[in-house]
Amino acid sequence: MAYFAASGTFNARDYDKAINYFRVYLETGEQKHRKNVYGYMAKACMNIRNYDLAMSVLNEGTGNYPDDFNMLSMAINNCIDREDNANLQKFVTKALSLRPNDETLLNIQGKLYEDTQEFRKALNIYVRMQQSRPNSLNIVQHVALNYYNLGVMYHNQASMERNETSAKKYARQAKDYFSAAAATLQEIVNNDPTSVKYTQALATAYSCICLLYTSDAADELDGV
């Protein structure tokens, strides 16, 4: 009875009542419609913008049905809506274990790595995507900026390192990443010469390749 009441109120868009009936159904322990109930209850929560309750429902639902990709997709969308990157990473990891080549998931994962400044991991994601879509400008842009930010990271480590051997090691790594960045950025600028962001990054990359290792080139750089 609770399931039919929930279905009726949900279809009538009375989401508050539907949520109450869905909750009653879950409390019965009945298994027949349980997976559907988690999904529709989460949708009802999102329809009334109760994203916290939706998150609670989806956490429980995906815990009980870890192989349900649709429920994981709902959880991912909910996390994006509420800007909840901590839970987003958890659900993306689970979804990628089911669909490791899903481009949308890979792109979300790459951006999460960029947001946490894990540029090497982000670069690995976008290089992998580039292999299947070599003509995608968006992917090339991510590849270029991750190369560039890795160059900046190692440049800054070299400039702050007091041990000469370690400083030279970081400097070599910076040069390698800036060289890779410059080649990729040049490709982007060739396609869009008016892009100030990428033109400036290209100029900085070339400058660092030439001047990084001189004694007067020790200032820290900012990433992009």
Side-chain angles (χ1 to χ4, degrees):
M1 292 296 295
Y3 180 74
F4 290 117
S7 299
T9 49
F10 181 91
N11 291 333
R13 300 184 181 181
D14 189 348
Y15 299 118
D16 287 301
K17 280 188 178 179
I19 290 168
N20 290 330
Y21 287 127
F22 284 133
R23 185 180 284 113
V24 169
Y25 178 89
L26 292 174
E27 288 172 353
T28 68
E30 173 63 43
Q31 298 297 312
K32 184 177 180 181
H33 301 294
R34 200 169 190 82
K35 184 164 69 171
N36 286 339
V37 165
Y38 280 122
Y40 281 108
M41 185 174 178
K43 286 180 182 178
C45 294
M46 287 188 277
N47 282 332
I48 62 171
R49 300 184 185 278
N50 191 338
Y51 298 119
D52 289 339
L53 182 56
M55 189 80 272
S56 177
V57 172
L58 290 166
N59 265 317
E60 185 176 335
T62 55
N64 289 324
Y65 303 97
D67 295 332
D68 189 287
F69 187 81
N70 289 333
M71 203 178 303
L72 286 170
S73 296
M74 287 177 59
I76 288 169
N77 289 331
N78 184 55
C79 289
I80 291 172
D81 288 340
R82 69 204 296 261
E83 298 181 349
D84 181 0
N85 282 1
N87 278 309
L88 178 58
Q89 179 61 80
K90 176 180 69 177
F91 290 120
V92 168
T93 298
K94 290 180 179 180
L96 280 171
S97 71
L98 300 177
R99 298 188 183 181
N101 297 315
D102 187 290
E103 185 173 311
T104 298
L105 291 175
L106 289 171
N107 191 46
I108 295 171
Q109 180 63 84
K111 289 178 179 177
L112 281 170
Y113 284 145
E114 289 174 343
D115 289 344
T116 55
Q117 298 187 357
E118 296 179 88
F119 300 120
R120 195 193 307 274
K121 290 182 180 180
L123 177 62
N124 290 339
I125 291 286
Y126 286 109
V127 166
R128 176 180 166 187
M129 292 175 67
Q130 191 178 30
Q131 292 172 352
S132 59
R133 292 189 58 196
N135 297 321
S136 170
L137 180 59
N138 179 63
I139 293 173
V140 172
Q141 289 170 339
H142 280 283
V143 169
L145 294 183
N146 282 298
Y147 274 135
Y148 179 88
N149 284 323
L150 282 164
V152 168
M153 183 180 75
Y154 282 110
H155 164 85
N156 291 340
Q157 286 181 312
S159 68
M160 294 184 293
E161 180 59 57
R162 296 186 179 277
N163 181 280
E164 184 177 353
T165 300
S166 295
K168 287 181 178 179
K169 174 186 173 183
Y170 292 139
R172 285 194 300 270
Q173 290 173 304
K175 184 177 181 180
D176 289 342
Y177 281 119
F178 276 130
S179 296
T184 314
L185 287 164
Q186 186 66 67
E187 179 183 345
I188 295 169
V189 171
N190 288 344
N191 281 281
D192 184 9
T194 63
S195 175
V196 175
K197 175 180 178 179
Y198 296 100
T199 302
Q200 289 177 339
L202 177 61
T204 302
Y206 279 133
S207 176
C208 288
I209 292 169
C210 296
L211 302 175
L212 180 62
Y213 312 118
T214 62
S215 59
D216 60 347
D219 291 340
E220 288 192 28
L221 298 173
D222 293 323
V224 293

